[in-house]
Amino acid sequence: MIFSLYVYRVFKEAVDACGMEFHSDDFWSLYIEYEIKNNNFKEAMALYDRVLNIPTQQYETHFQRFNILVSSRSPVEYLTTEELIAIHSKIQAENDNDQIAMEDLPSVDIEDSLSETDLQKIRQHILDTRKQMYLLNEIQVKKRSKFEEGIKRLYFFASPVNVKQLRNWRKYLDFEMSEGQHERIVMLYERCLMPCAKYEEFWLSYAQYMKEHSVEAARSVFERACRIHLPLKFTLHLQWALFEEKLGQLDSARAIMCNLEKVLPGVVMVRLRRVNFERRNGNLQEAERLLREAVHNSSGTKKAAFYAVKLSRLLLKLEKDPEKARDVLVDALKKDPNSPYLHQCLLEVEIARDDVDSVMHCVKSALNSNIHDAIKGILSQRRLEFLEDCGNNINSLLNAYDEHQTLLKQEEFKRKAVHDKEEEEKNKKAKTQSDSASVEDNISTSGIVPHAAASVAHQSVSTTNTTTTESSTHQAIVNTPKSTNSNQPKPTPSTRGKVPVPRPTVRLYMPPHRAPVPPLMAPFFRGSVPPPRMSFQPPMPPVPPYSYRPWMQNYVEYRSPQPWHYNRFYTPF
C-alpha cells in the first residue's frame, strides 16, 4: 500500500513536470498501462481524456488504444455513475423520447437497468465525442510539427547550438505565446533551456514572461540562471538586480551586485551600476567612495581617466562642489597628461567656475600636450567662445584668435599633406595596374596563354630546339594561303623596336575524308579480323581562292559552280 502511494505521487509529479511536452507519449502510455493493470479503468479513462487534448507526437496511437479500451470493456467499468446517467439521458433526449431528469433516474440500479443496446449506444457516444477531441488535437499537432522537425538537439551539450535551431526556438516560443496557453508556454521554455542553457537571451525572455504571472517564479528563473548555469554573465546579474530594485528589495539588489563584483573584479559596467544604484537611492557618499576606490584601483590604466571624469561629474552636478571636481581632474592629469578626455572635462569645469585665468591655463597646458590636433582645435575654439562671452581683456582675445588661426593653418597643411600622399599612392597603383594590363594585352595578341607568358619571355632563343621550332613554324605559315585583305595589326610607335614574342605553331586543318581511319577491333567481329579497307582519294578539282572583295569584282567567281563539299567562307587548303 505504501509503495502504491509512492508510485502515484511520482506519477503526479511527472505529469506536472513533463506531461505537456510533445515527446511525452511513453510516459502517458506507462501511466495508463499501470492504471489498467490495477483495474483502475475509471482513472485510465480520465488519463485518456487528458492526453487526447495534448498535442504529442504519437497522438494517433493514444486514440487507437482508447478505442480498444472502450470496445473491450463495459461502460459501467470506466464511467462514473453521474457520467453514465448523463450520457443515457442525453441519448434518450436525442431519440425523441420523454426526457428523464437526472434526479428522477435510479442512481443505484442504473447499471443493472441498462440493456446491451443502451450500452452500445453509450460506447458510440463516447467514441464520437472523443473523435472530436482527437480531430481538434490533430490540428494543434500539425501547427507544431514544423517547429518540432527543426529541433535536432533535445539535451545539453558543450558545443554551441546551430543558428538555425536558435532561430527555430525563437519562432516556436513566439508561436506558443500567440496561442496563449500558459502551461504550454512554461513547458516549452523549460524544454528550450535544456539545450540552450548557455544562452542568456532565453533566460531573460523566460523571466520577462514570468514577471507578468508570478514574482516568485521570475525570481526563481533569475536565481537558476545566475547561480547555476551562467554565473559569469554580468548582464543577467544586472537585470536581476534591476528586477529586485524595482520590487523594493534594495538589500537583495545590493548583495547581487556585490557578489558579482567579487566574481568579476574590474568590470566597468558592474562598478557603474553599483554607483548609480547608490545615487538613485540617495546615498551619494557611498557612490563617491566607490568611484574614488575605482580611480585608485585602476591607476596606470585608461580606466583611471574614465572613473576620474565620472567622479568629477558627480561632485560638480550632484554635490555642487566644483573645487573638488577640479582637484580630481588635476590629479588625474598629473598621471595621464595626454588624455584628451581629461582636458575637455577640466575645461568644462573651469568654465563652470567662471575663472578666466584658470581657463587660459587649462587650454595652454592642453595645447602643449601630445593630444590630437583636432582636439586642440576644439579646445581652442571653446576658449575663444568663452573669451568672447565672458572675457574683459581684448589682448587675451586677440592672442587667442591668432593662436586659433595658427592651429587651423597647421591642421589644414597636415590634411593637405596626407591627401597628397594618398593621391600619389593611388596614382602609383593605377600606373602599376595599367602596365600589367598592357603586358597582358601584348601577350594575348601574340597568341600565348597569359599564365605562360613569363616563362616564354625569359626563355633563351639560342638553342637548337628553339631554332628548329621557329623554322617549322615559319615554314607552316609561309605555306598557308594569304588573303588579300589581311587583318594583321600594323606596327605602332609604341610596339616598334620591341622584341617580338614567338607565336605558337599553327595547326593545319585536315578534312574528314583525308583523316586516317582507325582499324576496327577484332572482338567486334567475334575473333575474325575484317579485311582491310580500300582507301582512295576522291578527285579534287582545283578551286580558285575566294577573296572577300566587293561582289561586283568577284561576281563571276561567286556565280561559278562549286563542288558539293566546298565552303566559301573557309577553304580547307
Side-chain angles (χ1 to χ4, degrees), residues 10-27:
V10 172
F11 274 124
K12 296 294 183 182
E13 293 177 357
V15 168
D16 297 334
C18 62
M20 301 289 289
E21 287 194 6
F22 191 80
H23 299 280
S24 60
D25 304 283
D26 295 338
F27 162 71

Side-chain angles (χ1 to χ4, degrees), residues 5-42:
L5 292 176
Y6 177 76
V7 172
Y8 273 113
R9 188 177 66 181
V10 172
F11 274 124
K12 296 294 183 182
E13 293 177 357
V15 168
D16 297 334
C18 62
M20 301 289 289
E21 287 194 6
F22 191 80
H23 299 280
S24 60
D25 304 283
D26 295 338
F27 162 71
W28 286 109
S29 300
L30 181 64
Y31 194 5
I32 294 172
E33 289 177 1
Y34 180 78
E35 296 290 358
I36 294 176
K37 184 178 180 181
N38 294 329
N39 296 326
N40 298 326
F41 300 106
K42 295 180 181 179

Side-chain angles (χ1 to χ4, degrees), residues 11 95 132 152 208 214 249 287 413 423 433 475 547-548:
F11 274 124
N95 293 333
Q132 297 297 324
K152 305 300 181 182
Q208 189 68 27
S214 175
Q249 304 294 330
F413 178 76
E423 288 292 333
Q433 292 179 354
Q475 185 68 24
S547 61
Y548 293 95

Side-chain angles (χ1 to χ4, degrees), residues 146-163:
K146 60 180 181 179
F147 300 111
E148 294 291 340
E149 291 174 359
I151 300 175
K152 305 300 181 182
R153 185 187 296 180
L154 300 175
Y155 51 89
F156 174 77
F157 197 71
S159 63
V161 184
N162 192 4
V163 178

